[in-house]
Amino acid sequence: ILNVEQSPQSLHVQEGDSTNFTCSFPSSNFYALHWYRWETAKSPEALFVMTLNGDEKKKGRISATLNTKEGYSYLYIKGSQPEDSATYLCARGAGNMLTFGGGTRLMVKP
Amino acid sequence: GAVVSQHPSWVICKSGTSVKIECRSLDFQATTMFWYRQFPKQSLMLMATSNEGSKATYEQGVEKDKFLINHASLTLSTLTVTSAHPEDSSFYICSATRLGKNEQFFGPGTRLTVL
């Protein structure tokens, strides 16, 4: 993998469903993986910064895992709520430089 | 804390005119600011990195004479799109970092439409 890729591009779920999406990135020379939550007309908000292989981070109903050897990270949302509707971005960090994936747009229907 | 604002949030201009976009760190000093561009259904792409008081570093393929970046103070960076053309229509977003930290704090972005 040469670039940062996210899948799926978009996702519709019902309120209460749990969901997850994937971020794939080049595994060589890994430094850090960032997850952001971006609501329409607002600034992207940092969710997690992950650096260690096997790392797992949690913030409320949202959690993320990291596999640096195979170059992927999963973001999980448990019991999705309409307010979780946003675009979720991942970015591979190298120093203070970020390379972004295309994002996963999540829409949660009440 | 760590709030970044951008102004304007959207702008429509005629082809050939220049447009200035401001990026401000409201409650911290931003030693480095970044400018990104996002075309529809694409990723945020880094255009340039600017450090306060020095010239910006542009990414490959970004014309420095077309996208003028000024980072004259620790709280303000500006991006001027000179002689804008319809193909410059895009979403421009800035971010800022504090001294010694890598975490980037983003502004809400500016939607530029060139007619």
Side-chain angles (χ1 to χ4, degrees):
Chain A
I1 293 178
L2 298 177
N3 298 312
V4 180
E5 296 171 1
Q6 290 187 248
S7 63
Q9 281 190 336
S10 65
L11 193 54
H12 290 76
V13 301
Q14 285 293 136
E15 182 176 356
D17 287 351
S18 293
T19 187
N20 65 85
F21 15 97
T22 307
C23 173
S24 303
F25 52 87
S27 56
S28 58
N29 300 316
F30 177 82
Y31 185 79
L33 194 282
H34 300 247
W35 280 101
Y36 288 87
R37 180 173 178 275
W38 193 6
E39 287 184 75
T40 303
K42 294 187 178 178
S43 303
E45 171 199 354
L47 287 173
F48 306 113
V49 181
M50 308 176 80
T51 56
L52 299 175
N53 185 43
D55 216 359
E56 183 168 343
K57 297 212 170 180
K58 191 173 179 183
K59 192 175 185 178
R61 294 179 291 99
I62 304 176
S63 60
T65 60
L66 179 67
N67 183 321
T68 61
K69 293 181 190 249
E70 295 181 42
Y72 64 84
S73 175
Y74 293 135
L75 189 81
Y76 300 90
I77 302 179
K78 186 177 177 183
S80 303
Q81 299 297 307
E83 57 265 30
D84 296 328
S85 297
T87 296
Y88 292 82
L89 298 174
C90 71
R92 184 172 183 263
N96 64 358
M97 306 292 282
L98 295 176
T99 302
F100 281 90
T104 293
R105 188 173 177 199
L106 174 67
M107 284 153 281
V108 183
K109 299 176 192 174
Chain B
V3 179
V4 175
S5 70
Q6 267 184 255
H7 178 81
S9 55
W10 60 269
V11 57
I12 302 172
C13 70
K14 291 183 180 179
S15 188
T17 60
S18 293
V19 174
K20 181 186 282 189
I21 302 169
E22 291 186 348
C23 177
R24 291 182 187 271
S25 55
L26 298 185
D27 52 3
F28 67 100
Q29 292 188 326
T31 48
T32 303
M33 285 185 165
F34 302 84
W35 286 95
Y36 295 84
R37 179 168 54 179
Q38 185 183 37
F39 291 109
K41 299 192 177 182
Q42 294 189 25
S43 314
L44 288 175
M45 296 295 293
L46 181 65
M47 297 175 68
T49 303
S50 74
N51 293 296
E52 184 263 339
S54 60
K55 287 184 179 179
T57 302
Y58 290 82
E59 295 299 300
Q60 195 171 10
V62 178
E63 298 172 58
K64 63 179 181 181
D65 295 328
K66 182 167 185 61
F67 299 99
L68 301 179
I69 291 171
N70 185 289
H71 191 167
S73 80
L74 283 170
T75 58
L76 173 65
S77 176
T78 59
L79 168 69
T80 302
V81 184
T82 62
S83 187
H85 287 97
E87 57 266 29
D88 299 322
S89 298
S90 187
F91 187 78
Y92 293 87
I93 189 168
C94 70
S95 69
T97 58
R98 294 180 172 118
L99 179 65
K101 304 283 186 183
N102 287 335
E103 185 177 6
Q104 292 187 28
F105 299 97
F106 284 83
T110 298
R111 171 79 55 196
L112 170 64
T113 302
V114 185
L115 302 176

